Amino acid sequence: MAQFHCRWRNVFICLCSPCICVAILLCYIMIMVCISMNSTSTPGIHSLNKVHFVASGTLRNKSYAPIAKTFWDLKMNKRGFWNKLQHAVDVQFNPILHLNNTKRKSVNIESLLKQSFSEVADSDSGRKHFAVLSEPMQEFVRYMQRRDYPSIIQPDGVCGAGAKDEKEPPLLLLAIKTTELNFKNRQAIRHTWGQAGWQAGHEMNSSGGYIRRVFLLGKEDPEILSVDVSPLLRMESKHYGDILQWDFQDTFFNLTLKDVLFWNWFSSHCNKTLFVFKGDDDVFVNTPKMITYLQNELNKPHAHKTMKDFMIGNVIDAAIPERNSLSKYFIPDSFYTGLYPSYGGGGGVVYSSLLTRRLHLTSKMVHLYPIDDVYVGMCMERLNTYPIHHPAFLRNGLTLTPSTTRHFSHLTFLRRKEMSCVHITQSY
Ligand SMILES: *[C@@H]1O[C@H](CO)[C@@H](O)[C@H](O)[C@H]1NC(C)=O
Ligand SMILES: *[C@@H]1O[C@H](CO)[C@@H](O)[C@H](O)[C@H]1NC(C)=O
Ligand SMILES: *[C@@H]1O[C@H](CO)[C@@H](O)[C@H](O)[C@H]1NC(C)=O
Ligand SMILES: *[C@@H]1O[C@H](CO)[C@@H](O)[C@H](O)[C@H]1NC(C)=O
């Protein structure tokens, strides 16, 4: 009888244990589903999301407006030379870790940058990384701590060339990166889209605005050129008053210096100008459309609140650094690991003067990076903001067909020549 009882108990256990397991699993799944549904409908969670401006016509969706997540990592798990350098600085100045700013004030920014540099560069792995870099990259690293280059030529006006009798604050400063030899490009810009002074808007009933213009240059090496063009440049400056030249060599990897030094100059010379267009000298800008667009942005009800983040352009998001060693944008894995933050590429971006000042301050805490557009994105990331994509900023090599003209009705912007190589590999 006892044996019979025992056998039934075994059968019972065999049949029921799986049922109990499945029941527990179902309960668990239901609980998890409930939790996740609740959290998406809790208003408190939404209100935590950062409020960011949305300029008209811009694309603000997940693929264009990401908020940096990895930037706040406390642990350093990236092996790139630049990542390591910057990590030491980010840990000190991370605005989320140091909400009350106590740590920020007690640290000297410059000495911190220097210290992080010597720690990383003088380590064994740092020396090894340096040895395998290309010659231009090595040159960049040798000079990446220096950014206090003096200006050789300054523009006439307070904030670039403009009308002498401006009746209202300048709407837009065109800050165009160029080189000594690109005189033809500068002339084309002066006579077409870059005319300083009053310019009418695009729509009949929209108001125009005062435009100012400045060209940003480094110095060509006269020995390499085998001709010294600096007397010509001085004459050009006397005539047009729109040249801002600094005493550093105008090479590709030194372009970031133009942004950093421009922000510095803007912060002390342009306290009235409202917006900056920063672009290359081989692009075309439909200035009247841009004027109308910016005026409309200013007339929006909460414009003053959103201006501190205002940057629009052709936004490239989560790009993989160029790993093809033949490209001029080549960055080896040993120099930078990970994806790039969102940045405005392709020849030009527009941002507010308020943002320019914030970029100026934050750039002091960001080690220079050899690719200028990406560097701006890195500074934006450290301001906990991001540029917004606007379809009027055309991608490289895109030609303007009638249908795209209609589509890009706000402001039209295109490169006059196709770039010989694609900037970075895009991964959307
Ligand atoms: C987000 O932007 C991309 C790029 O233009 C677009 O193709 C996509 O349809 C947009 N997604 C949404 C949900 O609007
Ligand atoms: C803020 O400051 C207090 C001391 O004044 C310090 O104890 C605290 O850890 C600080 N908090 C943060 C997040 O840095
Ligand atoms: C200009 O006029 C058009 C049509 O009359 C109107 O749709 C548009 O909103 C006006 N723009 C401004 C800036 O007033
Ligand atoms: C940048 O400019 C400095 C100063 O002229 C120069 O010494 C350095 O070689 C340049 N860097 C690069 C990467 O060309």
Side-chain angles (χ1 to χ4, degrees), residues 228-248:
D228 186 5
V229 291
S230 54
L232 287 175
L233 195 71
R234 275 196 298 274
M235 273 169 61
E236 191 185 333
S237 168
K238 232 181 222 156
H239 198 266
Y240 294 104
D242 57 3
I243 302 283
L244 177 52
Q245 187 187 29
W246 295 279
D247 191 9
F248 64 80

Side-chain angles (χ1 to χ4, degrees), residues 300-361:
K300 280 186 174 172
H302 298 294
H304 61 286
K305 277 192 196 155
T306 57
M307 277 304 144
K308 76 183 212 328
D309 291 324
F310 186 100
M311 183 185 281
I312 55 173
N314 168 17
V315 172
I316 299 157
D317 178 43
I320 302 164
E322 175 63 69
R323 302 300 193 201
N324 171 6
S325 61
L326 297 177
S327 162
K328 81 169 177 175
Y329 300 99
F330 171 60
I331 296 289
D333 188 45
S334 62
F335 189 79
Y336 184 88
T337 320
L339 301 178
Y340 284 150
S342 309
Y343 67 92
V349 287
V350 177
Y351 44 79
S352 68
S353 60
L354 200 55
L355 183 59
T356 315
R357 274 171 249 279
R358 296 174 75 216
L359 285 168
H360 167 57
L361 294 178

Side-chain angles (χ1 to χ4, degrees), residues 95-103:
I96 287 181
L97 288 178
H98 309 296
L99 281 175
N100 50 9
N101 266 359
T102 44
K103 209 153 184 185

Side-chain angles (χ1 to χ4, degrees), residues 153-333:
I153 300 180
Q154 291 240 16
D156 286 348
V158 186
C159 177
K164 292 274 175 295
D165 53 345
E166 283 169 358
K167 290 178 192 71
E168 54 187 71
L171 178 69
L172 179 64
L173 170 66
L174 306 170
I176 302 139
K177 290 184 178 174
T178 177
T179 53
E180 285 182 345
L181 289 184
N182 279 5
F183 173 72
K184 271 190 184 166
N185 294 35
R186 289 195 288 280
Q187 280 306 81
I189 291 170
R190 284 178 183 125
H191 292 141
T192 56
W193 60 266
Q195 288 174 37
W198 177 262
Q199 280 206 39
H202 168 66
E203 283 164 12
M204 291 298 275
N205 52 357
S206 81
S207 50
Y210 283 101
I211 304 291
R212 283 171 175 270
R213 180 186 66 228
V214 66
F215 288 106
L216 314 174
L217 294 92
K219 228 177 37 180
E220 229 50 79
D221 187 345
E223 273 177 31
I224 295 177
L225 277 188
S226 69
V227 52
D228 186 5
V229 291
S230 54
L232 287 175
L233 195 71
R234 275 196 298 274
M235 273 169 61
E236 191 185 333
S237 168
K238 232 181 222 156
H239 198 266
Y240 294 104
D242 57 3
I243 302 283
L244 177 52
Q245 187 187 29
W246 295 279
D247 191 9
F248 64 80
Q249 222 181 314
D250 213 334
T251 57
F252 179 65
F253 284 158
N254 264 349
L255 281 179
T256 309
L257 284 171
K258 291 190 186 175
D259 291 86
V260 171
L261 293 171
F262 167 70
W263 293 337
N264 185 23
W265 176 82
F266 184 91
S267 300
S268 52
H269 288 82
C270 302
N271 60 3
K272 289 201 189 120
T273 305
L274 296 170
F275 292 98
V276 172
F277 166 83
K278 194 220 64 189
D280 295 342
D281 67 358
D282 60 352
V283 299
F284 176 78
V285 181
N286 190 329
T287 314
K289 281 190 180 174
M290 195 181 280
I291 290 172
T292 299
Y293 180 83
L294 294 176
Q295 292 284 18
N296 288 342
E297 286 305 309
L298 283 178
N299 290 335
K300 280 186 174 172
H302 298 294
H304 61 286
K305 277 192 196 155
T306 57
M307 277 304 144
K308 76 183 212 328
D309 291 324
F310 186 100
M311 183 185 281
I312 55 173
N314 168 17
V315 172
I316 299 157
D317 178 43
I320 302 164
E322 175 63 69
R323 302 300 193 201
N324 171 6
S325 61
L326 297 177
S327 162
K328 81 169 177 175
Y329 300 99
F330 171 60
I331 296 289
D333 188 45

